[in-house]
């Protein structure tokens, strides 16, 4: 399991609107959006390194604007060979680009 949290100087609505860019960047399949909780969940397909990942993303308020928390979990297996971290970073970078901002942390 990998967790990545980044803060952004934009309102949570701006990050929420940019989430589809993150899902597309990681090749996420069957995204499920829950606007009331500010979460989205998707899955990735099999890769050379794993049977795929389950990716849960939460957008929340933060003192600086908003926070993006990305949690990746293996569908099957014990060690992800760093794939979860790469997916989380790629997702956050795509969301930041789509929102027209850069992460603060």
């Amino acid at each position: 399991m990998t967790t990545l949290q980044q803060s952004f100087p934009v309102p949570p609505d701006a990050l929420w609107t940019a989430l589809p860019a993150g899902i597309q960047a990681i090749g996420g399949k069957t995204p499920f959006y829950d606007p009331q909780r500010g979460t989205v969940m998707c899955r990735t397909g099999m890769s050379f390194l794993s049977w795929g990942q389950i990716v849960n993303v939460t957008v929340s308020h933060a003192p600086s604007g908003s926070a993006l928390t990305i949690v990746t979990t293996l569908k099957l297996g014990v060690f992800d060979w760093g794939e979860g971290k790469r997916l989380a970073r790629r997702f956050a970078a795509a969301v930041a680009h789509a929102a027209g901002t850069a992460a603060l942390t």
Side-chain angles (χ1 to χ4, degrees):
M1 182 163 83
T2 299
T3 302
L4 174 71
Q5 185 169 24
Q6 292 186 335
S7 297
F8 294 88
V10 295
D13 289 343
L15 285 188
W16 182 259
T17 303
L19 289 179
I23 292 170
Q24 183 179 12
I26 65 169
K29 297 175 182 8
T30 61
F32 174 75
Y33 293 89
D34 185 348
Q36 289 187 342
R37 292 184 179 174
T39 63
V40 64
M41 188 276 294
C42 68
R43 301 173 187 273
T44 64
M46 279 184 9
S47 72
F48 181 70
L49 299 174
S50 78
W51 292 99
Q53 302 264 346
I54 298 169
V55 181
N56 290 290
V57 180
T58 304
V59 175
S60 58
H61 292 278
S64 60
S66 58
L68 185 68
T69 304
I70 305 164
V71 179
T72 64
T73 314
L74 282 171
K75 287 183 193 175
L76 177 67
V78 178
F79 191 68
D80 76 353
W81 304 97
E83 182 182 32
K85 184 183 265 187
R86 284 189 296 278
L87 286 172
R89 287 182 177 163
R90 189 177 312 143
F91 191 104
V95 168
H97 180 73
T101 187
L104 297 173
T105 57

